[in-house]
């Protein structure tokens, strides 16, 4: 993980120059217009997920059923042909709404403990997402695409860790590794997926719904992990305060 973080540090130190800013010129007007559609759709999906979380707080609907519904709507979206644009946009919003309802219990816990945790997690996730997305746009074309193989292997590792912990039981150390390593992996995916979207758009793939779904998945995964980390830190702080009082 240190090597992975040092890679980004070394890149950022040499990339944020005037010459790198001119890399925006490599993005054609067509691709720029496509990116605007992608990020507008992403913002709408995030609003829909917030509505889903709010519906859970009102009616306690989040759980297994919303998880199944989100998977079903996702499969429906991916199986819908690209020319049915309105239907696919609607399915993207429905998927985001069910995803928001699914993490509603976690958000409800954060609101009960300290609402500022939820705000801090969202702001932190948004800042990280924006910074890494811009870094991917400023970088040379295809510069970070080779990281895709490493990230795919990392996701496979996380999957098998989840499987092993569900079968054999998980420890606190394993949970912490999964949490922080997963955060690092999905932050890396923000960079890789942004460059992949730009590259696909240059090649004529202007499916902004699928591309927005990809970035929504990255944002969602990073947000959930940051929120859990902040909740755990808040819990540890409370325990330390109680020990000092005793």
């Amino acid at each position: 993980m240190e090597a992975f973080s040092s890679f980004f540090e070394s890149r950022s130190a040499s990339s944020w120059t005037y010459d790198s800013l001119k890399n925006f010129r490599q993005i054609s007007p067509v691709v720029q217009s496509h990116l605007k559609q992608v990020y507008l759709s992403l913002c709408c999906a995030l609003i829909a997920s917030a509505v889903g979380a709010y519906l859970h707080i009102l009616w306690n609907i989040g759980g297994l059923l919303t998880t199944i519904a989100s998977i079903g709507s996702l499969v429906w979206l991916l199986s819908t042909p690209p020319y049915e644009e309105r239907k696919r946009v609607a399915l993207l919003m429905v998927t985001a709404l069910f995803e928001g309802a699914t993490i509603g219990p976690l958000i409800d816990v954060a609101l009960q403990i300290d609402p500022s945790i939820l705000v801090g997690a969202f702001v932190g996730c948004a800042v990280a997402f924006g910074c890494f997305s811009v870094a991917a746009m400023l970088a040379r074309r295809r510069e970070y695409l080779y990281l895709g193989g490493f990230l795919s292997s990392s996701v496979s590792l996380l999957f098998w860790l989840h499987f092993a912990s569900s079968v054999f039981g998980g420890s606190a150390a394993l949970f912490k590794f999964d949490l922080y390593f997963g955060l690092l992996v999905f932050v890396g995916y923000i960079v890789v997926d942004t460059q992949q979207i730009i590259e696909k758009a240059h090649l004529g793939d202007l499916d902004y719904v699928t591309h927005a779904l990809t970035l929504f998945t990255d944002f969602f995964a990073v947000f959930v992990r940051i929120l859990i980390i902040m909740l755990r830190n808040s819990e540890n702080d409370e325990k330390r305060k109680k020990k000092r009082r005793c």
Side-chain angles (χ1 to χ4, degrees), residues 108-115 117 231 234-235 238:
D108 197 12
V109 170
L111 289 174
Q112 291 177 13
I113 295 176
D114 186 358
I117 293 177
L231 285 172
S234 177
E235 183 181 358
E238 287 295 326

Side-chain angles (χ1 to χ4, degrees), residues 49 52 61-78 90-103 213 216-217 220:
S49 64
I61 61 174
L64 179 61
L65 289 179
T66 55
T67 302
I68 296 173
S70 65
I71 295 173
S73 57
L74 175 61
V75 172
W76 192 2
L77 168 60
L78 296 177
L91 287 171
L92 173 61
M93 298 305 132
V94 170
T95 302
L97 185 141
F98 283 130
E99 286 282 356
T102 300
I103 67 164
L213 174 64
F216 173 78
T217 303
F220 204 77

Side-chain angles (χ1 to χ4, degrees), residues 4 15 19 32 34 47 49 68 71 79 83 89 100 124 134 136 145 208 220:
F4 193 72
S15 297
D19 291 335
Q32 290 179 12
H34 173 68
I47 293 172
S49 64
I68 296 173
I71 295 173
S79 61
Y83 61 83
V89 171
V134 171
L145 293 184
Y208 69 91
F220 204 77

